[in-house]
Amino acid sequence: MVKRPSDNLSVCGSCHGEIAKNYKNSLHYTTAGLKHGVNGRMATAEGKIFNEKVFPKACNSCHASCGDCHVKVPVIGGINIGLIKGHQFVKRDEAKTCALCHGGRVYPEYTGEYGGTPDVHYQKGMFCADCHVKSETHGDGTVQTGRKDIMDRPSCQKCHPSGTEKSDKSKLAHSAHNGKVSCVACHSSGDYRNCTNCHEGKGAKATPGFILGRNPRDKKTVTTLRIIPTVRDTFVESGVKMEKFDALPNYWDTSPHNIKKRTDRTRSCDTCHVEKSGFLTRETLIKGGSKANEGLISEPKALK
Amino acid sequence: MKKTGMLVMMLLVLCVGQVWGASLPAIVSTDWLEQNLGNPDLRIVDIRDLGEYKAGHIPGAVSAAYGSWAINVKPLDNEVPEQEDLQDVIRNAGISEKTMVVVVGKTDTIPNQVNSPRVAWTLQYAGIKQAAFLDGGISKWLADKKPMSTDMVKVVPTTVSIKFQKNMMANKADVTAGKAMLVDSRLPEFYFGASKVPHVKRPGKIAGAALLPSAWLFKKDGTLREVSEIEAMAVGVVGKDKSKDMILYCDSGRLSAGFVYVLTNVLGYKNVRMYDASLQDWVEDPKAPLTMYNWN
């Protein structure tokens, strides 16, 4: 008996050839985002060891086959809740598929189970696939190294373009922050999950937090940051010391799925410009983290 | 399922001579709701998770999950959202001042059983007077073999302006003022102090509170007990005086909604308030007294 028949993409590809061809290079299948996310911390030689020995057994073991989203609920942490709808093939059922693999942070943030307020899009009846379209979940055929490579990824401004605001207050706030502050920095409703000691060998522990700082991929912009703490000795047992550990920060730009129309930051300029609530500081940086973390600290300007 | 739901809706719309309920019953039965499915003044609000709603819901019901109606505001769970935010939820559900709203939820657990009256109470607190919940929730609807639909219902948002009804809400100062009868709506082991939920820092009850558990409103199948039985329970604890000033509390304001709704809407008590922040708020002050190991 073949355990995961659709892991061999040619099985589904015999009828769904185009999708299978695209999917072969997609992040859901290759999990390449995890590899490229950490490769930057490694010297060339140890990067090769990681890619050949660690990645296939660890990160890539979580890749999704066709059946994991269309037949059977994915097995996460050894928990197996079986088929989605008998043995029928289903087109989409986000609560039983996306919610499992992305249930550590994204899904519970979205439904309000983590943090306290459901995302406004959830409140309006929208589910994962309403924003994350097929060319993202199946891939578009190009070889992708990370989420930022996806051309068709969701963007707030696709549905909410600048200039369509209903109130003058919103127009003014958006034009004043355009290009300097991300949408989520103001419209995230609050705490989201931060992985404070994953990969430390002590078992995963997540704590709620809301962190504002410079986007490591675009330091002109302030955005919400999430702690992704690959610690210095994460791969030591596999012979990978991460010689360039300090080249990358432990905080990465994130889009918390807890969007709200009105937040403390939209209600009052003082929240950021006077109280500086949520902003990363030297005092709040994680201990023993990367030296690159300091470059993400941003001091909000005083109001004129 | 989808076709059945559509057919029922079409038949109801075509049925020109249909007599719909002019007003909303305090306890909505599955039969009443089925007969009123085409009623233009009715809005059914499904408070289950979106995934459950999409898998099948009562024809015409809009989705507005429980978390839209009761949010966490550290350190409190189950708080009424800010007025503007709640107004958005109500508008987006297509509810106006005169809409008859029936809340539909799950009844498989005690928290789920009280979620529906909690949302109905929240609507009334926002000034939507005709708000009730489906007795037995979606389980009873399915058990009675009523129609279901998988159509995603989109409604035109209203422009309703809500106003919080302050006389329905109590705070810590109202409790400490000592003028109102205090009613603890948790289960006896929590009232007695033998058990404590993790999200409340200390066990015990507020001194002088009487015990009237909201969990006892419901039968095993998640439907309400007979009104006569509920009334006898209530009278035995709070008395017959319908004008008595009462404040109900629990751990977070979720459980107490059960008896707050029933005392007000079903039994006709006029002065019932909910201490929404409940014990989570009370124990924030480490010196705030709680009594234990007595039934007084």
Side-chain angles (χ1 to χ4, degrees):
Chain A
M1 186 174 164
V2 180
K3 200 173 177 184
R4 297 171 82 199
S6 63
D7 214 9
N8 177 356
L9 295 181
S10 65
V11 173
C12 298
S14 61
C15 292
H16 305 279
E18 186 70 19
I19 295 173
K21 194 177 120 200
N22 290 345
Y23 193 62
K24 190 179 175 187
N25 292 325
S26 76
L27 294 175
H28 273 147
Y29 190 67
T30 64
T31 63
L34 299 170
K35 179 162 64 179
H36 290 94
V38 78
N39 271 171
R41 298 185 191 279
M42 298 166 190
T44 310
E46 59 181 3
K48 199 176 171 200
I49 297 171
F50 175 83
N51 291 346
E52 288 172 0
K53 292 186 178 171
V54 183
F55 177 74
K57 286 182 185 169
C59 319
N60 193 238
S61 64
C62 277
H63 73 280
S65 68
C66 308
D68 285 326
C69 297
H70 295 291
V71 183
K72 188 179 181 303
V73 178
V75 180
I76 300 296
I79 297 169
N80 185 348
I81 58 174
L83 300 163
I84 299 170
K85 192 179 182 183
H87 201 251
Q88 293 177 52
F89 285 75
V90 296
K91 194 173 181 183
R92 58 186 264 198
D93 190 340
E94 293 99 320
K96 289 182 181 168
T97 53
C98 312
L100 274 290
C101 292
H102 299 278
R105 50 189 201 198
V106 178
Y107 193 74
E109 283 168 15
Y110 190 60
T111 59
E113 290 162 65
Y114 193 88
T117 307
D119 190 290
V120 68
H121 303 94
Y122 180 79
Q123 291 190 32
K124 293 197 172 189
M126 292 172 69
F127 242 161
C128 316
D130 292 317
C131 292
H132 298 278
V133 295
K134 282 181 203 165
S135 56
E136 183 184 7
T137 52
H138 288 161
D140 59 8
T142 58
V143 176
Q144 294 164 342
T145 58
R147 283 182 298 134
K148 306 296 171 185
D149 289 349
I150 298 169
M151 299 301 288
D152 220 2
R153 67 181 186 274
S155 151
C156 307
Q157 296 220 4
K158 276 184 190 168
C159 296
H160 308 281
S162 298
T164 57
E165 298 90 341
K166 287 180 184 165
S167 74
D168 291 340
K169 188 186 167 192
S170 299
K171 272 185 192 150
L172 181 66
H174 289 160
S175 68
H177 295 97
N178 191 21
K180 300 173 193 165
V181 179
S182 71
C183 307
V184 289
C186 289
H187 289 285
S188 164
S189 65
D191 286 357
Y192 45 88
R193 198 183 292 264
N194 278 276
C195 307
T196 45
N197 73 348
C198 295
H199 310 288
E200 281 189 273
K202 297 174 187 171
K205 184 189 171 192
T207 51
F210 176 83
I211 305 165
L212 289 172
R214 294 187 190 284
N215 182 343
R217 299 175 218 270
D218 171 18
K219 293 206 176 160
K220 299 188 302 298
T221 310
V222 169
T223 193
T224 38
L225 301 175
R226 203 187 296 256
I227 304 173
I228 313 288
T230 303
V231 292
R232 290 177 192 274
D233 61 357
T234 297
F235 304 114
V236 165
E237 285 181 15
S238 307
V240 177
K241 292 179 183 170
M242 290 195 284
E243 291 170 18
K244 291 158 62 183
F245 180 81
D246 291 310
L248 299 176
N250 298 112
Y251 298 82
W252 287 96
D253 53 309
T254 186
S255 297
H257 282 53
N258 59 1
I259 301 305
K260 202 174 171 206
K261 189 174 178 182
R262 302 175 199 88
T263 67
D264 292 346
R265 278 147 279 125
T266 68
R267 285 196 168 99
S268 171
C269 306
D270 288 358
T271 307
C272 292
H273 293 282
V274 177
E275 296 157 20
K276 301 174 185 175
S277 296
F279 277 82
L280 193 62
T281 64
R282 280 194 173 73
E283 290 71 37
T284 56
L285 283 175
I286 56 169
K287 307 298 175 206
S290 166
K291 288 174 185 166
N293 294 343
E294 290 204 11
L296 307 181
I297 294 169
S298 172
E299 178 78 10
K301 288 180 185 169
L303 291 168
K304 290 176 185 169
Chain B
M1 186 162 66
K2 194 172 177 178
K3 283 180 183 169
T4 313
M6 285 292 286
L7 188 63
V8 169
M9 286 294 282
M10 284 169 67
L11 283 171
L12 287 167
V13 171
L14 290 169
C15 192
V16 180
Q18 174 77 42
V19 178
W20 286 306
S23 62
L24 189 66
I27 300 171
V28 176
S29 68
T30 54
D31 287 340
W32 185 94
L33 188 57
E34 184 181 32
Q35 285 158 19
N36 280 271
L37 281 180
N39 188 336
D41 297 326
L42 180 78
R43 175 72 63 219
I44 304 166
V45 175
D46 191 321
I47 62 166
R48 296 173 300 150
D49 291 345
L50 186 56
E52 293 168 318
Y53 170 86
K54 286 200 167 186
H57 53 80
I58 296 173
V62 295
S63 170
Y66 179 75
S68 301
W69 304 93
I71 63 169
N72 296 352
V73 183
K74 281 182 184 174
L76 309 174
D77 300 325
N78 293 294
E79 289 298 287
V80 175
E82 296 267 358
Q83 189 162 315
E84 280 180 311
D85 295 339
L86 182 60
Q87 184 170 273
D88 279 352
V89 175
I90 291 172
R91 285 178 172 181
N92 290 332
I95 296 167
S96 63
E97 291 93 340
K98 292 181 179 171
T99 306
M100 294 193 288
V101 186
V102 176
V103 178
V104 178
K106 298 201 292 186
T107 52
D108 54 336
T109 63
I110 294 170
N112 277 334
Q113 286 167 355
V114 292
N115 280 353
S116 292
R118 163 84 200 190
V119 173
W121 174 86
T122 303
L123 281 157
Q124 292 177 353
Y125 177 62
I128 310 299
K129 290 178 183 165
Q130 292 203 78
F133 65 95
L134 178 64
D135 186 18
I138 199 73
S139 302
K140 180 80 167 97
W141 184 265
L142 287 168
D144 290 351
K145 301 193 181 341
K146 304 294 188 190
M148 291 287 276
S149 169
T150 52
D151 295 338
M152 191 71 196
V153 177
K154 294 278 181 193
V155 292
V156 178
T158 65
T159 54
V160 67
S161 295
I162 66 166
K163 189 179 175 192
F164 287 153
Q165 310 297 301
K166 305 284 185 191
N167 62 335
M168 293 173 65
M169 183 73 88
N171 57 28
K172 194 172 187 176
D174 297 324
V175 174
T176 51
K179 291 178 183 170
M181 178 184 185
L182 274 181
V183 179
D184 189 321
S185 48
R186 298 173 299 161
L187 284 165
E189 64 188 277
F190 299 94
Y191 174 84
F192 190 68
S195 294
K196 177 187 89 62
V197 289
H199 52 276
V200 175
K201 290 175 186 167
R202 287 184 283 139
K205 63 175 175 291
I206 300 174
L211 174 66
L212 188 57
S214 283
W216 292 352
L217 284 166
F218 301 93
K219 294 185 278 195
K220 280 186 179 173
D221 67 355
T223 58
L224 286 165
R225 290 173 188 251
E226 296 301 317
V227 172
S228 57
E229 196 180 354
I230 292 172
E231 184 167 26
M233 281 199 288
V235 167
V237 176
V238 304
K240 289 183 178 174
D241 179 3
K242 299 286 166 96
S243 63
K244 183 179 277 186
D245 190 7
M246 282 180 261
I247 296 174
L248 275 71
Y249 75 89
C250 55
D251 289 316
S252 70
R254 196 176 193 176
L255 276 172
S256 51
F259 251 114
V260 166
Y261 179 91
V262 168
L263 286 169
T264 308
N265 294 278
V266 181
L267 304 179
Y269 287 85
K270 306 291 182 199
N271 294 308
V272 182
R273 287 177 286 166
M274 176 151 65
Y275 178 23
D276 187 22
S278 280
L279 286 176
Q280 283 188 314
D281 173 55
W282 184 264
V283 299
E284 274 302 293
D285 174 3
K287 293 178 184 167
L290 288 173
T291 65
M292 291 173 67
Y293 307 141
N294 64 62
W295 295 105
N296 305 319

